[in-house]
Amino acid sequence: MNNFNFKESTVYKKAFSLAMKIFKISKLFPSEEKYSLTDQVRRSSRSVCANLAEAYRKKRYPAHFISKLTDCDSENSETGVWIDFAFECGYIDEQILNSLRAKNEEIGKLLNHMINNPDKY
Protein backbone atom coordinates (compact mmCIF):
# COMPACT_ATOMS: atom_id res chain seq x y z
CA MET A 1 0.00 0.00 0.00
CA ASN A 2 1.31 3.40 -0.97
CA ASN A 3 2.07 5.63 2.01
CA PHE A 4 1.40 8.70 -0.12
CA ASN A 5 0.62 11.79 1.91
CA PHE A 6 -2.71 13.11 0.60
CA LYS A 7 -1.72 16.65 1.61
CA GLU A 8 0.98 16.55 -1.03
CA SER A 9 -1.47 15.69 -3.81
CA THR A 10 -2.28 18.31 -6.42
CA VAL A 11 -6.00 17.93 -5.88
CA TYR A 12 -5.73 18.44 -2.11
CA LYS A 13 -3.55 21.52 -2.50
CA LYS A 14 -5.95 23.03 -5.03
CA ALA A 15 -9.04 22.17 -2.96
CA PHE A 16 -7.48 23.59 0.20
CA SER A 17 -6.48 26.76 -1.65
CA LEU A 18 -10.01 27.18 -3.02
CA ALA A 19 -11.56 26.62 0.41
CA MET A 20 -9.32 29.29 1.91
CA LYS A 21 -10.05 31.73 -0.92
CA ILE A 22 -13.78 31.15 -0.39
CA PHE A 23 -13.35 31.68 3.36
CA LYS A 24 -11.66 35.04 2.80
CA ILE A 25 -14.16 36.20 0.19
CA SER A 26 -17.17 35.06 2.21
CA LYS A 27 -16.10 37.26 5.12
CA LEU A 28 -17.46 40.10 2.99
CA PHE A 29 -20.91 38.54 2.54
CA PRO A 30 -23.78 40.30 4.37
CA SER A 31 -24.42 39.26 7.94
CA GLU A 32 -27.90 37.94 7.03
CA GLU A 33 -26.15 35.24 4.98
CA LYS A 34 -24.13 33.97 7.96
CA TYR A 35 -26.34 30.93 8.60
CA SER A 36 -27.12 30.19 4.97
CA LEU A 37 -24.89 30.96 1.99
CA THR A 38 -21.76 31.76 3.98
CA ASP A 39 -21.93 28.60 6.09
CA GLN A 40 -22.93 26.42 3.15
CA VAL A 41 -20.15 27.48 0.78
CA ARG A 42 -17.53 27.24 3.52
CA ARG A 43 -18.76 23.82 4.63
CA SER A 44 -18.93 22.28 1.17
CA SER A 45 -15.53 23.63 0.08
CA ARG A 46 -13.86 22.38 3.26
CA SER A 47 -15.60 19.04 2.97
CA VAL A 48 -13.73 18.31 -0.27
CA CYS A 49 -10.46 18.32 1.69
CA ALA A 50 -11.87 16.36 4.62
CA ASN A 51 -13.28 13.68 2.34
CA LEU A 52 -9.94 13.41 0.54
CA ALA A 53 -8.30 12.67 3.88
CA GLU A 54 -10.85 9.94 4.52
CA ALA A 55 -10.49 8.55 1.00
CA TYR A 56 -6.75 8.10 1.34
CA ARG A 57 -7.22 6.21 4.59
CA LYS A 58 -9.52 3.80 2.74
CA LYS A 59 -7.23 3.13 -0.20
CA ARG A 60 -6.82 -0.48 0.91
CA TYR A 61 -10.43 -1.00 -0.11
CA PRO A 62 -10.86 0.26 -3.69
CA ALA A 63 -14.65 0.54 -3.56
CA HIS A 64 -14.49 2.60 -0.35
CA PHE A 65 -11.74 4.78 -1.82
CA ILE A 66 -13.86 5.51 -4.90
CA SER A 67 -16.93 6.10 -2.75
CA LYS A 68 -15.16 8.76 -0.70
CA LEU A 69 -13.81 10.33 -3.88
CA THR A 70 -17.36 10.59 -5.20
CA ASP A 71 -18.25 12.33 -1.93
CA CYS A 72 -15.44 14.80 -2.67
CA ASP A 73 -16.81 15.35 -6.15
CA SER A 74 -20.33 15.90 -4.82
CA GLU A 75 -19.14 18.49 -2.32
CA ASN A 76 -17.08 20.19 -4.99
CA SER A 77 -20.15 20.37 -7.25
CA GLU A 78 -22.18 21.81 -4.38
CA THR A 79 -19.50 24.44 -3.86
CA GLY A 80 -19.91 25.44 -7.50
CA VAL A 81 -23.62 26.02 -6.97
CA TRP A 82 -22.99 28.24 -3.94
CA ILE A 83 -20.43 30.22 -5.94
CA ASP A 84 -23.11 30.84 -8.57
CA PHE A 85 -25.54 32.01 -5.88
CA ALA A 86 -22.93 34.38 -4.46
CA PHE A 87 -22.54 35.95 -7.89
CA GLU A 88 -26.27 36.17 -8.60
CA CYS A 89 -26.84 37.75 -5.19
CA GLY A 90 -24.24 40.39 -6.03
CA TYR A 91 -21.73 39.33 -3.36
CA ILE A 92 -18.90 38.65 -5.82
CA ASP A 93 -18.09 40.24 -9.16
CA GLU A 94 -17.64 38.48 -12.48
CA GLN A 95 -13.85 38.36 -12.21
CA ILE A 96 -14.01 36.56 -8.85
CA LEU A 97 -16.78 34.31 -10.18
CA ASN A 98 -14.67 33.26 -13.15
CA SER A 99 -11.61 32.65 -10.96
CA LEU A 100 -13.54 30.54 -8.44
CA ARG A 101 -15.35 28.62 -11.18
CA ALA A 102 -12.09 27.81 -12.97
CA LYS A 103 -10.55 26.45 -9.76
CA ASN A 104 -13.72 24.53 -8.92
CA GLU A 105 -13.86 22.95 -12.39
CA GLU A 106 -10.18 22.01 -12.28
CA ILE A 107 -10.68 20.26 -8.94
CA GLY A 108 -13.67 18.41 -10.42
CA LYS A 109 -11.59 17.19 -13.35
CA LEU A 110 -8.82 15.98 -11.04
CA LEU A 111 -11.33 14.16 -8.83
CA ASN A 112 -12.97 12.53 -11.82
CA HIS A 113 -9.59 11.32 -13.04
CA MET A 114 -9.00 9.78 -9.62
CA ILE A 115 -12.43 8.14 -9.61
CA ASN A 116 -11.85 6.67 -13.06
CA ASN A 117 -8.22 5.64 -12.36
CA PRO A 118 -8.03 4.80 -8.64
CA ASP A 119 -5.07 2.46 -9.09
CA LYS A 120 -2.89 5.42 -10.08
CA TYR A 121 -3.37 6.99 -6.68
Side-chain angles (χ1 to χ4, degrees):
M1 185 166 152
N2 185 351
N3 288 326
F4 184 77
N5 182 351
F6 69 92
K7 289 183 181 180
E8 297 303 317
S9 69
T10 300
V11 68
Y12 180 86
K13 289 177 182 178
K14 289 181 181 290
F16 191 88
S17 174
L18 178 59
M20 290 307 299
K21 184 176 282 278
I22 286 171
F23 172 73
K24 290 172 185 161
I25 291 168
S26 66
K27 285 183 175 186
L28 304 174
F29 291 179
S31 60
E32 66 263 19
E33 290 288 5
K34 182 177 182 182
Y35 297 108
S36 52
L37 180 61
T38 304
D39 282 349
Q40 291 291 342
V41 72
R42 287 178 181 178
R43 183 201 52 75
S44 65
S45 64
R46 291 171 178 172
S47 188
V48 176
C49 299
N51 280 305
L52 272 170
E54 292 181 32
Y56 270 91
R57 294 303 171 249
K58 295 185 177 209
K59 281 181 65 177
R60 180 174 301 190
Y61 311 102
H64 292 291
F65 180 58
I66 293 168
S67 176
K68 290 310 293 183
L69 291 174
T70 61
D71 290 346
C72 293
D73 191 44
S74 297
E75 294 292 341
N76 188 61
S77 293
E78 180 182 338
T79 299
V81 171
W82 296 125
I83 290 168
D84 289 343
F85 273 109
F87 175 72
E88 290 298 324
C89 291
Y91 305 148
I92 58 175
D93 64 27
E94 193 168 355
Q95 182 180 0
I96 293 172
L97 169 71
N98 291 336
S99 172
L100 295 176
R101 270 188 182 163
K103 292 175 189 317
N104 181 256
E105 289 172 10
E106 183 179 11
I107 292 163
K109 288 176 184 176
L110 290 167
L111 289 168
N112 279 298
H113 187 269
M114 292 176 75
I115 290 165
N116 292 322
N117 302 282
D119 53 311
K120 292 184 178 182
Y121 298 92

